[in-house]
Amino acid sequence: MTNFQTDDLPALFLLIGAATTGVFDEASDMVDRTPVCEACGRTEPKFGNVVVKLDYWRGQALMSVFGMFFVTGELRTALQDAEVTGIELQEVSMVGSTRRPERLHRLTVTGSADGPDSWWEPTGDECSSCGQIKRMPTRDGIRSSMVTDDPIPLRVSAATWDGTDAFVLPSAPTTPVVTDRFVAALTSISTKDVHLRPTDFVREK
């Protein structure tokens, strides 16, 4: 495989992280897990009422709380106006700091792709029922998922990309990949405390 970047494919960025501006309030109800596959016992988190307790907010448009991303109402509007795909936005409640955005929305990334690089490695066989493979992050993958000067690459196979503006790879499920359309909408509001890292498509010859 080789690096491939043409006019018919967007520029890509890894969403490495954003400022942590608070915690989940005790009123949140999101600890339940829903069974997905009886064969392998796989479950997925079930999110109910999410309440974010803001410790401080300094005008960030995109922020994180324990691995979840949240956007302000302004950024939500910018993303929708730009017709950014591959995301779901759900309004959540806020408590805590008196300085807060007017609205806050949980950002869920729904797009998908795959790639030749791996930050998470398989730890078992593929489930014959649901096709899921258990994975765990590698030491280099953990380091590369944070702000660092020498990350290992995380590229996207063009043939596997579903065409959305926000997606995740099975080899790095906690690090969203976003297109320049997403970044343009973000930039129009504020990139304060957001860490983005350029990456590339690859295409098989």
Side-chain angles (χ1 to χ4, degrees):
M1 306 184 82
T2 182
N3 285 336
F4 182 82
Q5 191 80 42
T6 65
D7 291 340
D8 63 334
L9 292 173
L12 297 180
F13 301 84
L14 304 178
L15 181 52
I16 297 299
T20 299
T21 56
V23 297
F24 293 125
D25 187 71
E26 60 184 12
S28 296
D29 175 21
M30 53 183 183
V31 296
D32 294 337
R33 298 189 69 87
T34 302
V36 176
C37 178
E38 293 184 0
C40 66
R42 181 166 64 93
T43 61
E44 292 181 351
K46 179 182 179 181
F47 300 106
N49 180 43
V50 178
V51 182
V52 176
K53 182 178 181 180
L54 291 176
D55 295 329
Y56 65 91
W57 180 69
R58 300 173 181 171
Q60 297 94 337
L62 174 65
M63 60 208 81
S64 67
V65 178
F66 291 118
M68 280 189 192
F69 289 103
F70 295 86
V71 304
T72 62
E74 275 190 300
L75 180 52
R76 173 183 179 271
T77 299
L79 292 168
Q80 291 180 332
D81 288 349
E83 298 183 344
V84 170
T85 58
I87 59 174
E88 291 180 355
L89 296 163
Q90 179 183 4
E91 188 168 0
V92 302
S93 302
M94 293 175 285
V95 296
S97 175
T98 55
R99 186 184 182 194
R100 63 181 70 168
E102 289 187 10
R103 296 182 182 276
L104 191 66
H105 303 264
R106 179 164 62 91
L107 171 68
T108 302
V109 175
T110 61
S112 64
D114 210 335
D117 309 308
S118 183
W119 288 6
W120 290 47
E121 291 184 345
T123 59
D125 297 329
E126 180 178 323
C127 175
S128 59
S129 179
C130 70
Q132 192 77 6
I133 301 175
K134 291 183 178 180
R135 300 173 186 267
M136 290 290 290
T138 65
R139 181 176 297 180
D140 282 340
I142 293 172
R143 175 177 55 81
S144 300
S145 68
M146 299 182 288
V147 178
T148 178
D149 293 331
D150 59 340
I152 58 176
L154 185 66
R155 297 163 296 171
V156 178
S157 297
T160 68
W161 174 50
D162 64 1
T164 56
D165 295 304
F167 52 94
V168 292
L169 283 64
S171 57
T174 59
T175 302
V177 185
V178 297
T179 67
D180 46 6
R181 179 183 296 180
F182 183 105
V183 174
L186 174 63
T187 303
S188 72
I189 306 300
S190 173
T191 57
K192 180 178 177 64
D193 298 330
V194 177
H195 300 288
L196 296 164
R197 183 187 302 154
T199 190
D200 297 303
F201 280 105
V202 294
R203 174 174 290 180
E204 294 182 1
K205 289 185 176 180

